[in-house]
């Protein structure tokens, strides 16, 4: 269908001849007749992507009719597009499309644009998109809570994990939001509201103007190991030279024991899917977050028992270096590839280049995604497509149907089987091991599910974060935003992993001794297995 649209679109241009335009129109009419055939109609009932191709084809057809001077037919094509469920976002395409200039003043076209704008105002919550101010009105606060409640009620796919009475919780929070005395306090209450849903892809985000107050943190990270909190990564050379180094234990934060501090000031506001995911959010990502203008006082203990108390600025560092997207080295004939995100489209080209330069010659490959928080699942699948010579299954998924009736319960729509093709140009056939852990999240878990299900090799490390899915975003009063997980993913055979984590074949737990000795027991185990 898309291929036919591409052919037609090349013909539907203001510079095209009448014969070319007519040819494009005929192609689209045939394509729509194909969509109207019984088997394709049946497929489209359970596949939104296929269903909305009819909208796209009618939009294209309107351009063809308008170019031919058949204005009534052009408007009717746009009306069919609208009736098929086209979203208000289509305005940005049709309102700027020069091929439709001939029908701009048609009364039915003008009325259609009005309908689309009304839909956009309703579903994009235009009236609720109010600007930031230090303290929102009570009406804005209640409206924001109500929107967050309703968006979750009609879109959230993991209420079975949350195990709460969502309607009663909404009633409980009405007085809480009205009792807040600032926008910052209001957003903390909203964050705690969504934290009750226990999902890492369902979050409240404060307005950008409050980011410095909520998210400022010094450039080092900590980790909970054997029930104690230790520095494990330092991203600033100046901070490192000042004595903040991996291996220091965090004893207190602002004079309060670190565990109780985290449980009191961090955990209540963290949206998390699993205990291991919460451990990362509470003791790694957010532990030192706070206002940019307020240093954090931390009491450390070194491995010799010496206590060190430091007041550390949350901002002002000019030598911060984050994790590289991809790193590679050859360890005794075994390739060791670290991929820290799936956000950069150049990853695939980098892999292909590394394959030619070295990976192809190795006797085994380790892919380390322990620090990969996700991104675009397609990037990960493209890497997997280079580790096989046949198509493979990716996660199965289902979504809630986009309608409801008073008193009715949720109905589900199955997205069906999903498969991804082999690369064809590259096929690495030697043993592969993937390293995973609780920071392996979102699209990195999609990668892990597919790798695990295709039985390409072993998973080594710790359970993953246990959260993926397509979030539904929306805007909140005062300039904040939120998202709700709107897609329930499983293994291709229906096995659950969201809210649980993907279990490794070989579990390796990090110890305090490993940290102090600078050893990586997970990587060492993978090397041992491949060398066997």
């Amino acid at each position: 269908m898309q291929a036919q649209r591409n052919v037609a679109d090349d013909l539907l241009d203001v510079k095209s001849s009448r014969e070319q335009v007519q040819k494009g129109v005929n192609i689209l009419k045939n394509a729509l007749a194909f969509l109207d055939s019984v088997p394709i109609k049946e497929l489209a009932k359970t596949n939104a992507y296929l269903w909305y191709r009819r909208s796209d084809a009618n939009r294209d057809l309107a351009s063809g009719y308008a170019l031919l001077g058949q204005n009534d037919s052009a408007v009717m094509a746009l009306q069919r597009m609208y009736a098929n469920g086209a979203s208000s976002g289509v305005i940005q395409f049709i309102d700027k499309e020069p091929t439709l200039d001939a029908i701009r003043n048609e009364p039915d076209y003008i009325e259609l644009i009005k309908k689309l704008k009304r839909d956009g105002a309703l579903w994009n919550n235009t009236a609720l998109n109010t600007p930031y101010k230090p303290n929102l009105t009570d009406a804005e606060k209640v409206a924001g809570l109500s929107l967050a409640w309703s968006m979750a009620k009609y879109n959230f796919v993991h209420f079975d994990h949350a195990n709460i009475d969502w309607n009663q919780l909404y009633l409980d929070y009405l007085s809480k939001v009205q009792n807040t005395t600032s926008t910052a306090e209001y957003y903390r209450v909203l964050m705690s509201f969504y934290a009750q849903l226990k999902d890492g892809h369902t979050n409240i985000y404060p307005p950008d103007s409050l980011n410095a107050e909520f998210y400022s943190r010094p450039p080092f990270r900590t980790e909970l190991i054997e029930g104690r909190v230790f520095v494990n990564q330092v991203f600033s050379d100046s901070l490192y030279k000042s004595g903040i180094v991996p291996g220091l234990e965090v004893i207190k934060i602002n004079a309060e024991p670190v565990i109780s501090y985290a449980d009191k000031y961090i955990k209540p506001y963290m949206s998390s899917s699993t205990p291991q995911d919460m451990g990362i959010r509470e003791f790694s990502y957010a532990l030192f977050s706070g206002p940019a203008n307020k240093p954090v006082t931390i009491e450390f203990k070194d491995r010799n028992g010496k206590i060190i108390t430091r007041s550390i600025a949350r901002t002002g560092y000019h030598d911060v270096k984050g994790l590289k997207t991809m790193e590679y080295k050859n360890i005794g004939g075994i390739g060791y590839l670290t991929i820290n995100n799936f956000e950069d489209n150049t990853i695939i080209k980098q892999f292909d280049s590394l394959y030619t330069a070295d990976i192809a010659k190795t006797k085994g490959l380790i892919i380390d995604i322990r620090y990969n928080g996700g991104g675009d699942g397609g990037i990960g699948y493209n890497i997997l497509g280079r580790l096989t010579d046949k198509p493979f299954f990716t996660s199965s998924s289902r979504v809630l149907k986009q309608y409801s009736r008073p008193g009715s319960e949720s109905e589900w729509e199955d997205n069906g089987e999903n498969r991804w093709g082999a690369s064809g140009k590259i096929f690495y056939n030697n043993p592969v091991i993937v390293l995973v852990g609780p920071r392996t999240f979102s699209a990195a878990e999609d990668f892990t599910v597919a790798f695990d299900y295709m039985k390409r090799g072993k998973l080594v490390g710790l359970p993953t974060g246990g959260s993926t899915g397509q979030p539904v975003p929306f805007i909140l009063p005062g300039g904040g935003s939120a998202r709700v997980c709107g897609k329930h993913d499983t293994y291709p055979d229906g096995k659950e992993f969201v809210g649980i984590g993907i279990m490794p074949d070989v579990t390796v737990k990090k110890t305090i001794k490993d940290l102090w000795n600078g050893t990586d027991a997970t990587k060492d185990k993978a090397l041992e297995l491949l060398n066997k």
Side-chain angles (χ1 to χ4, degrees):
M1 184 63 210
Q2 291 295 76
Q4 291 297 290
R5 285 187 63 219
N6 290 337
V7 173
D9 284 350
D10 288 339
L11 299 168
L12 302 180
D13 189 271
V14 291
K15 297 179 181 179
S16 298
S17 68
R18 188 174 182 85
E19 290 74 19
Q20 288 175 313
V21 173
Q22 186 63 61
K23 184 178 179 181
V25 166
N26 291 340
I27 289 171
L28 289 169
K29 287 170 71 176
N30 288 333
L32 283 163
F34 170 71
L35 286 183
D36 285 332
S37 64
V38 174
I40 304 304
K41 267 189 168 181
E42 287 301 310
L43 284 174
K45 288 179 180 178
T46 57
N47 189 308
Y49 297 103
L50 181 57
W51 175 266
Y52 287 111
R53 296 294 75 77
R54 178 180 277 97
S55 295
D56 294 339
N58 273 299
R59 187 181 77 206
D60 297 342
L61 189 59
S63 291
Y65 282 137
L67 290 170
L68 292 173
Q70 300 173 19
N71 290 2
D72 287 347
S73 295
V75 173
M76 287 177 64
L78 290 179
Q79 289 172 332
R80 289 194 298 271
M81 172 203 74
Y82 178 78
N84 195 69
S87 73
S88 61
V90 76
I91 289 178
Q92 63 181 310
F93 298 107
I94 63 176
D95 232 13
K96 298 177 182 178
E97 178 52 60
T99 58
L100 295 174
D101 286 347
I103 63 171
R104 301 283 183 216
N105 295 322
E106 293 287 338
D108 287 343
Y109 175 85
I110 294 171
E111 184 59 32
L112 177 66
I113 293 297
K114 287 180 180 178
K115 287 181 180 179
L116 286 166
K117 287 181 177 179
R118 284 197 296 268
D119 291 349
L122 174 63
W123 295 108
N124 295 323
N125 306 302
T126 304
L128 301 182
N129 188 8
T130 59
Y132 172 79
K133 48 181 173 282
N135 190 22
L136 299 177
T137 64
D138 281 355
E140 288 173 300
K141 292 175 181 178
V142 170
L145 175 69
S146 301
L147 177 59
W149 165 76
S150 63
M151 288 296 288
K153 182 171 183 175
Y154 296 111
N155 292 281
F156 186 53
V157 294
H158 295 305
F159 274 114
D160 55 330
H161 297 168
N163 193 28
I164 54 174
D165 184 336
W166 188 236
N167 295 327
Q168 182 60 52
L169 198 70
Y170 166 69
L171 292 175
D172 295 341
Y173 267 77
L174 279 169
S175 59
K176 291 184 179 183
V177 297
Q178 292 179 87
N179 288 334
T180 59
T181 58
S182 69
T183 299
E185 184 185 357
Y186 168 67
Y187 268 91
R188 286 193 179 90
V189 172
L190 285 188
M191 290 167 76
S192 70
F193 180 58
Y194 258 31
Q196 311 303 313
L197 292 172
K198 299 181 176 67
D199 184 77
H201 279 77
T202 302
N203 316 81
I204 298 286
Y205 301 105
D208 289 346
S209 50
L210 291 175
N211 280 347
E213 180 172 347
F214 277 75
Y215 299 127
S216 298
R217 56 181 181 172
F220 71 95
R221 300 292 172 266
T222 49
E223 185 175 10
L224 186 67
I225 306 174
E226 298 181 30
R228 296 155 66 184
V229 181
F230 292 87
V231 176
N232 70 331
Q233 293 173 310
V234 181
F235 301 118
S236 161
D237 287 341
S238 59
L239 199 58
Y240 185 93
K241 290 175 182 176
S242 74
I244 307 303
V245 297
L248 284 178
E249 182 177 1
V250 178
I251 304 299
K252 293 181 180 180
I253 300 175
N254 293 339
E256 186 161 344
V258 61
I259 302 296
S260 62
Y261 175 91
D263 286 345
K264 184 186 300 183
Y265 299 109
I266 308 298
K267 187 175 182 178
Y269 310 102
M270 294 292 106
S271 293
S272 169
S273 300
T274 60
Q276 63 267 25
D277 179 31
M278 179 58 81
I280 294 300
R281 294 172 187 271
E282 186 178 1
F283 295 105
S284 294
Y285 295 152
L287 186 59
F288 302 116
S289 293
N293 59 355
K294 292 184 180 179
V296 57
T297 301
I298 307 173
E299 184 178 300
F300 298 99
K301 182 168 69 173
D302 68 17
R303 60 188 301 177
N304 297 315
K306 181 181 177 182
I307 300 297
I308 306 162
T309 302
R310 292 279 301 275
S311 178
I312 299 177
R314 288 189 166 103
T315 58
Y317 302 90
H318 304 291
D319 57 354
V320 177
K321 297 177 182 178
L323 293 174
K324 293 181 179 179
T325 295
M326 180 182 282
E327 293 185 275
Y328 177 79
K329 57 185 173 182
N330 188 308
I331 306 174
I334 293 174
Y336 179 56
L337 177 68
T338 301
I339 307 176
N340 288 319
N341 66 65
F342 286 133
E343 298 171 358
D344 189 339
N345 283 317
T346 65
I347 287 173
I348 300 164
K349 289 183 178 179
Q350 290 181 61
F351 181 91
D352 291 352
S353 178
L354 288 168
Y355 180 84
T356 302
D358 192 80
I359 292 175
K361 306 166 191 172
T362 60
K363 61 185 179 183
L365 178 65
I366 299 170
I367 301 178
D368 189 344
I369 55 171
R370 286 177 290 175
Y371 289 87
N372 190 317
D376 181 350
I379 294 174
Y381 295 149
N382 270 303
I383 298 295
L384 288 177
R386 285 147 171 77
L387 307 180
T388 183
D389 61 349
K390 56 177 95 49
F392 57 93
F393 287 100
T394 64
S395 301
S396 291
S397 63
R398 57 180 184 156
V399 297
L400 292 170
K401 288 187 176 180
Q402 295 301 302
Y403 64 83
S404 182
R405 300 178 298 277
S408 67
E409 295 184 6
S410 301
E411 294 184 42
W412 291 92
E413 182 175 327
D414 196 337
N415 284 342
E417 289 185 345
N418 297 298
R419 303 185 81 184
W420 199 274
S423 163
K425 61 181 180 178
I426 288 178
F427 174 32
Y428 182 78
N429 196 29
N430 289 333
V432 180
I433 285 178
V434 172
L435 308 187
V436 295
R439 289 181 180 82
T440 306
F441 195 76
S442 193
E445 292 185 280
D446 297 334
F447 173 94
T448 305
V449 164
F451 177 84
D452 190 28
Y453 192 75
M454 66 197 288
K455 303 301 179 188
R456 184 61 182 86
K458 291 186 180 297
L459 300 175
V460 176
L462 292 170
T464 64
S467 179
T468 191
Q470 187 64 48
V472 178
F474 57 99
I475 302 299
L476 288 166
S481 61
R483 63 179 191 169
V484 171
C485 185
K487 182 162 71 79
H488 179 180
D489 285 289
T490 67
Y491 271 74
D493 61 3
K495 177 183 175 182
E496 299 281 357
F497 69 93
V498 175
I500 301 167
I502 302 164
M503 299 297 120
D505 299 297
V506 180
T507 299
V508 182
K509 294 182 179 180
K510 189 170 185 177
T511 66
I512 297 170
K513 185 178 179 181
D514 291 333
L515 178 65
W516 283 346
N517 292 341
T519 56
D520 187 340
T522 304
K523 181 180 75 174
D524 291 346
K525 172 55 73 173
L527 288 168
E528 175 193 330
L529 291 169
L530 286 177
N531 278 315
K532 283 181 178 179

